[in-house]
Amino acid sequence: MAAGHSLADDLRSTAARHGDRPAVIDAVVTLTYAELDRIAQHVCDALRGLGVQSGDAVVWHGAKSSLAVAAVHGILRSGAGYVPVDPDGPPARAELIVGRCRPRALVADTTAREQWRTVAPDLRWQPLPTGYEEAGPLWCAIPDAAPRDRLANLAYVLHTSGSTGLPKGVVHTHASASAFVDWSVGELGLTEHDVIVNSAPLHFDPTILHLFGAARVGAAVALMPASAAPFPAAYVDFCRQVGGTVWYAVTSTLVWLTRRGRDLLPGLRSLRAAVVGGEVLQPGDVNTLFAALPAVRLLNVYGPTESNVCTFHEIRGPQPADAVIPIGRVLPGAEITVVDERLEQVEPGRTGRLLVRGTMLMEGYLDPEQTARAFVRTPDGRSWYASGDLVRENPAGDLEFVGREDAQIKSRGFRVELGEIERHLRALDAVHECVAVATPDPVFSNLITAFVTADRPDDVRPLPELLRTRLPHYMIPRHLVLVADGLPRNANGKVDRKALAELAARPSLAETPGLTLIR
Amino acid sequence: MAEDVVLRAVVAAVREVAPGAEIVDDTPLIAHRIVDSLSLLSLVSLLEKELSVTIRDSEILPAHFESPLAIRAFLRTKGC
């Protein structure tokens, strides 16, 4: 697509071509493209009436629903970029994200508005007309704080965990988002006859394909209710009921379905394409899927939120048990290179740092300092996003994921910086030292365990509740452990994270002398 | 009335998989997002171990896990 294409254009042109076709299916209603277009126009008009202009950031905070999708399209049509905030996260984290983002306006459903009343009682909310009041009201607030400068071509800002403890706002433009949507539409052959199954929350990047891939071609997007998503049987049932044809989810969802829903998988027979990414894909899960759905196309995609999907590999049929499933080859429009510590390209087969540039790449982070740290310049003078991922090229010329060069992990498909958890553990004065470690888990990639030291067990009793009020659910450690005799140290006197990770992996952790589980 | 030891075990298991959350007999586990995909599967494994019961994949349903009381009622159908 030519530069300058806007995500906001797709809904209007698709509504003109496919007005009667289903656009969004949720647990309650199905909106047609004509209806979605009309509601988005109401939201757009209301926001413009409040002074929202091109390049402004507008927060969306609310439950996932057809109305939420219409609100997102309405924000985009107003010229603003949308900033989705986790509706299930703690209000304090939403406040932190919004405080740093400095949006022109907030749009919320009633539940989210009530949360804001607890953390920001001075925000003044007014009804936002949608022309779709039967779905419940929307509310809008204009923060007192001066909004950030307008960002040219802003499409959306997604927040990921930050190693210093502060979430990072990843800024995508209409150009970078459209480049990814173009690839998705072309590679998956999306048409108006597709039903794209969405189980990710709106603040999570697979939704870019779900919402805007659908809007580009007139496909339907089916929003799985959050209450069904944790249950394999309910998950498969929803896909079956809506007749899902294309499915894009984090790898751990596939793993979880193959391990606890194997007999249910034939219920997904309407699927023609399954796309997974974000975590290492194992041959056993691939083979279970193909056994149930022999004709499905299975794509393993790779790409942090910062770059959208930038490499992919199509898996053609069952795999040997010891196969390493590659993350594959670069997408058209993206460029990658694998380099050593001096940023010089490594020989094929050698492990190195994966650098990314190209049309799908983010503009930067909201925080210029975070942006400066994330980009590097190779000896040829070109600027690249340093993904932090270690990869190597296999003899077939496909990339394989090897690991991380830092303390970032994936758990349940979510990206987690262990440093962000540690920052909140340290917030309790009684905590002397703390370390969060990850232990590999066959289903969820990693489980998090946090170790702390303190004078008395009673001093750290508030920690579980404190973490729940500050961190999203996927960042809460599975175990919080008080260590009686200080954290183990290596020869250099540094905390021995490896020893702690080994300790955390013990099934008998709770019975280990000197350790107390904090509940 | 004798204390329901199975219900106590269910509440204890839910507390174990959802550290920091306040759990009572009728806490809405799904509506309050206390149960997610990870904690649900951990909870199923824990219940299977603690109560020596086998829970089939097709039985892991929202209606069976809405609250500790709902889990208790479901386990009763399995003879617990």
Side-chain angles (χ1 to χ4, degrees):
Chain A
M1 191 68 52
H5 184 91
S6 162
L7 294 184
D9 299 337
D10 288 329
L11 176 58
R12 190 175 280 118
S13 57
T14 295
R17 279 180 289 133
H18 299 298
D20 293 336
R21 292 200 70 87
V24 191
I25 302 166
D26 69 17
V28 185
V29 296
T30 296
L31 290 180
T32 64
Y33 270 99
E35 290 166 329
L36 184 66
D37 181 65
R38 184 174 54 75
I39 301 161
Q41 187 62 46
H42 274 275
V43 172
C44 161
D45 292 343
L47 289 174
R48 285 199 179 148
L50 291 165
V52 170
Q53 294 183 27
S54 282
D56 278 329
V58 173
V59 163
W60 162 253
H61 194 187
K64 193 172 71 174
S65 65
S66 57
L67 183 60
V69 173
V72 163
H73 280 292
I75 291 169
L76 288 172
R77 184 169 291 180
S78 77
Y82 75 100
V83 186
V85 173
D86 182 1
D88 297 324
R93 193 165 194 262
E95 190 193 18
L96 179 70
I97 284 172
V98 170
R100 288 169 54 81
C101 175
R102 289 184 285 120
R104 172 75 51 175
L106 285 82
V107 177
D109 65 13
T110 301
T111 307
R113 183 197 66 170
E114 291 311 307
Q115 283 189 22
W116 279 97
R117 289 205 161 141
T118 64
V119 288
D122 293 339
L123 265 183
R124 286 180 302 281
W125 294 91
Q126 53 181 299
L128 187 82
T130 61
Y132 181 40
E133 269 60 29
E134 61 271 33
L138 287 188
W139 305 89
C140 182
I142 307 293
D144 285 336
R148 68 172 44 251
D149 290 342
R150 295 191 170 103
L151 296 163
N153 216 7
L154 175 67
Y156 59 85
V157 181
L158 300 182
H159 283 83
T160 72
S161 181
S163 57
T164 58
L166 295 171
K168 293 195 282 197
V170 179
V171 177
H172 275 284
T173 62
H174 285 281
S176 61
S178 288
F180 170 55
V181 172
D182 289 345
W183 172 78
S184 311
V185 168
E187 182 59 43
L188 297 171
L190 297 181
T191 74
E192 72 271 25
H193 302 294
D194 277 308
V195 177
I196 303 174
V197 176
N198 157 281
S199 60
L202 291 180
H203 60 283
F204 203 28
D205 58 357
T207 55
I208 304 305
L209 188 159
H210 302 144
L211 298 192
F212 304 111
R216 173 73 55 86
V217 301
V221 59
L223 309 174
M224 180 153 331
S227 59
F231 298 92
Y235 197 107
V236 170
D237 227 35
F238 178 81
C239 295
R240 192 180 50 74
Q241 279 172 13
V242 299
T245 60
V246 173
W247 176 68
Y248 175 25
V250 292
T251 308
S252 60
T253 306
L254 173 65
V255 176
W256 159 86
L257 281 174
T258 60
R259 310 279 169 103
R260 270 316 312 211
R262 174 189 292 252
D263 298 340
L264 308 165
L265 287 175
L268 297 174
R269 73 181 67 82
S270 59
L271 272 193
R272 62 175 188 80
V275 184
V276 296
E279 289 150 310
V280 176
L281 179 59
Q282 304 291 349
D285 300 307
V286 167
N287 296 345
T288 303
L289 183 73
F290 278 129
L293 307 170
V296 79
R297 277 188 78 193
L298 176 58
L299 269 58
N300 188 34
V301 299
Y302 163 86
T305 302
E306 285 84 344
S307 67
N308 282 311
V309 171
C310 57
T311 75
F312 83 105
H313 175 74
E314 179 158 2
I315 304 155
R316 298 176 195 275
Q319 300 292 305
D322 59 350
V324 174
I325 312 282
I327 56 173
R329 300 188 187 203
V330 69
L331 264 54
E335 280 181 79
I336 54 172
T337 184
V338 185
V339 299
D340 60 18
E341 309 79 59
R342 291 165 307 169
L343 299 173
E344 286 175 6
Q345 203 168 353
V346 301
E347 297 291 315
R350 301 286 294 272
T351 296
R353 306 166 65 192
L354 179 63
L355 309 183
V356 186
R357 65 201 304 273
T359 50
M360 281 100 164
L361 193 66
M362 67 171 175
E363 188 76 5
Y365 297 110
L366 284 176
D367 179 344
E369 281 180 26
Q370 289 174 335
T371 308
R373 280 197 295 273
F375 283 83
V376 295
R377 208 170 276 282
T378 43
D380 61 8
R382 294 193 296 169
S383 170
W384 302 79
Y385 166 65
S387 66
D389 288 321
L390 300 173
V391 299
R392 72 172 157 250
E393 193 179 313
N394 70 13
D398 289 312
L399 289 181
E400 295 175 355
F401 177 81
V402 176
R404 286 288 303 174
E405 52 176 322
D406 57 18
Q408 184 189 104
I409 62 151
K410 284 289 181 79
S411 183
R412 286 174 256 184
F414 289 95
R415 200 166 124 178
V416 175
E417 293 283 357
L418 294 171
E420 184 166 353
I421 299 168
E422 291 168 1
R423 175 174 178 265
H424 289 289
L425 291 168
R426 273 195 292 274
L428 190 70
D429 286 341
V431 170
H432 298 321
E433 280 191 298
C434 61
V435 167
V437 298
T439 44
D441 177 84
V443 177
F444 296 100
S445 294
N446 283 288
L447 298 178
I448 303 162
T449 304
F451 293 90
V452 300
T453 60
D455 291 334
R456 286 174 301 272
D458 277 352
D459 295 348
V460 290
R461 293 238 184 272
L463 272 181
E465 173 62 21
L466 182 129
L467 291 185
R468 280 202 169 258
T469 59
R470 298 190 179 192
L471 290 174
H473 68 98
Y474 55 86
M475 290 178 71
I476 309 275
R478 175 77 176 76
H479 293 300
L480 262 170
V481 185
L482 178 67
V483 185
D485 301 323
L487 300 180
R489 300 196 174 265
N490 60 26
N492 303 325
K494 284 187 170 174
V495 172
D496 191 344
R497 286 177 176 268
K498 201 160 160 260
L500 287 170
E502 283 166 13
L503 204 54
R506 282 190 196 177
S508 58
L509 180 73
E511 286 87 47
T512 306
L515 302 184
T516 313
L517 289 192
I518 308 163
R519 299 213 192 277
Chain B
M1 194 173 132
E3 196 188 27
D4 185 340
V5 289
V6 175
L7 181 59
R8 296 278 69 78
V10 168
V11 170
V14 174
R15 285 184 182 145
E16 177 152 355
V17 302
E22 199 173 312
I23 307 293
V24 294
D25 294 355
D26 59 354
T27 300
L29 301 179
I30 304 168
H32 288 187
R33 307 271 191 274
I34 289 166
V35 160
D36 66 7
S37 55
L38 172 64
S39 50
L40 179 72
L41 293 199
S42 307
L43 178 62
V44 169
S45 308
L46 200 58
L47 292 171
E48 287 180 324
K49 190 174 107 197
E50 299 286 322
L51 298 168
S52 305
V53 61
T54 303
I55 298 172
R56 292 198 304 274
D57 295 349
S58 58
E59 293 173 330
I60 309 175
L61 296 169
H64 294 167
F65 288 85
E66 268 169 359
S67 65
L69 280 171
I71 300 172
R72 173 68 191 101
F74 160 60
L75 291 172
R76 194 169 285 125
T77 67
K78 301 191 67 77
C80 284

